[in-house]
Amino acid sequence: MRAEGGEEQHASFRRGLRLGLPFAAVGFFLSVSFGVLARQAGFSVAQASVTAMIVFAGSAQFAALSVVTAGGGIPAALTAGSLMNARFLAMGIALAPSLPGGPWRRAAQGQTVVDSSWALAHRGDGTFDRWLLFGTTLPQYVAWTLGSVVGAVSGDLLGDTDRLGLDAIYPVFFLSLLIAELRDRVSRRVALAGALVALALVPLAPPGIPILAASAVALVGVVRRAG
Amino acid sequence: MTLTYAQVWWLILGLAALTALIKAAGPVLLGGRALPPPVTRVIVLMAPTLLSALVVTSVLAAGRSWSVGAHTVGVAVAALMLWRRCPLVLSVLVAVLVTAGLRAL
């Protein structure tokens, strides 16, 4: 692992803060839509806000919420949310060699991973700039928390969020991260294959599973390139 | 929703605990060891596959069926904008406006 000077860490952290701002802005409105939807489903203002504060994982929150809104129970909602989160397992494994310290410190640093910060902190060679990661996540955490409070409080005023087109925010958010990842031909091919696998599995598997299964395509991509 | 007020709290706490465990698992179990190169290559490719799967399922699927809606069109327009290097915030704004506009028709 390369040695990190205090100044270099500081520069990475500040660069992360700057990079995180547009994602924080988008995340704010995404979290507003979560707050509104959670209130509509029957969450209290405190419950909708605390969810964003302590879960801080957009796709898991939306997945769990859609299950309970549809009449599902706690086990089904937790399963759906965790399947959405399963990608953090892969991201955490990738990040592990770039984190210093004992188990508790490493576990704490692992909590700062969100999709955008993980993707931006990736140096493109399998290693990660952890201070860039922390910096990118911080404004997003603040915006995510604020957004959910605003959404939860103003939910009754806004009414039907479908009408407002807020459900278009989430896919565009991930799309911008995807475009940054399409560095070469192999990554474009596995991205396309992953999309096809996920779509093919939609009618066959519960929500969350198609996304997880798509990640297996990455394995195939590497094996084929080696062979 | 069929959950009681107390059950919603249990759901929130459960989801927070599971999310924290999942995020901690990789960093704790792997220690400071570096991964073998083939594993690193898989991980490098995992980001584009997971992200593209997330995008297509959020735009073209509703629950367990394929579906196309106003937001599909809005996101497609934003995709073109992002591809042409428009800023993220502007692209999101256009996606929301196109989606809301189509639904208002």
Side-chain angles (χ1 to χ4, degrees), chain A residues 172-195:
Chain A
V172 176
F173 187 84
F174 286 112
L175 199 56
S176 72
L177 296 175
L178 171 63
I179 289 173
E181 284 288 333
L182 300 179
R183 294 185 180 91
D184 52 45
R185 222 171 41 163
V186 182
S187 58
R188 275 177 225 139
R189 279 188 186 164
V190 293
L192 181 64

Side-chain angles (χ1 to χ4, degrees), chain A residues 85 94 106 113 162 191 199 204, chain B residues 19 23 27 31 43 52 66 103:
Chain A
N85 273 337
R106 306 162 61 76
V113 170
D162 256 17
L199 274 184
L204 306 173
Chain B
T19 303
K23 283 188 176 179
I43 287 160
S52 70
W66 294 310
R103 286 192 182 136

Side-chain angles (χ1 to χ4, degrees), chain A residues 22-23 25-26 41-44 46-47 50-51 54-57 59-61 64 68-69 71-74 77-78 81-82 84-85 87-90 92-94 96-97 99 103 106-107 110-111 113-114 118 122 125-126 162-165 167-179 181-182 186-187 190-191 194-195 198-200 202-207 210-211 214-215 217-219 221-222 225, chain B residues 1-35 37-67 70-72 74-76 78-85 87-101 103-104:
Chain A
F23 292 100
V26 176
F43 281 43
S44 71
Q47 286 173 331
V50 169
T51 306
I54 68 174
V55 178
F56 186 44
S59 57
Q61 289 175 218
V68 295
T69 305
I74 294 177
L78 289 179
S82 297
M84 279 296 180
N85 273 337
R87 68 183 188 285
F88 288 126
L89 206 56
I93 290 169
L99 297 179
R106 306 162 61 76
Q111 302 306 312
V113 170
V114 291
W118 182 84
H122 185 210
D125 58 359
D162 256 17
R163 192 171 47 86
L164 302 172
D167 53 333
I169 297 177
Y170 175 81
V172 176
F173 187 84
F174 286 112
L175 199 56
S176 72
L177 296 175
L178 171 63
I179 289 173
E181 284 288 333
L182 300 179
V186 182
S187 58
V190 293
L199 274 184
V202 161
L204 306 173
I211 293 165
S215 65
V217 171
L219 264 173
V222 168
R225 191 162 54 169
Chain B
M1 191 172 72
T2 53
L3 303 185
T4 65
Y5 180 75
Q7 281 177 318
V8 170
W9 279 120
W10 284 116
L11 171 66
I12 296 166
L13 290 175
L15 194 59
L18 284 171
T19 303
L21 271 179
I22 289 170
K23 283 188 176 179
V28 170
L29 297 179
L30 266 166
R33 279 169 288 163
L35 295 166
V39 179
T40 307
R41 281 200 295 276
V42 172
I43 287 160
V44 168
L45 290 179
M46 214 162 248
T49 48
L50 281 171
L51 289 168
S52 70
L54 259 178
V55 171
V56 294
T57 51
S58 59
V59 174
L60 297 169
R64 291 181 71 158
S65 57
W66 294 310
S67 100
H71 71 303
T72 315
V75 173
L80 269 177
M81 292 178 65
L82 287 173
W83 193 253
R84 304 306 297 265
R85 301 187 179 279
L88 172 64
V89 177
L90 182 66
S91 307
V92 166
L93 189 67
V94 169
V96 169
L97 289 176
V98 168
T99 305
R103 286 192 182 136

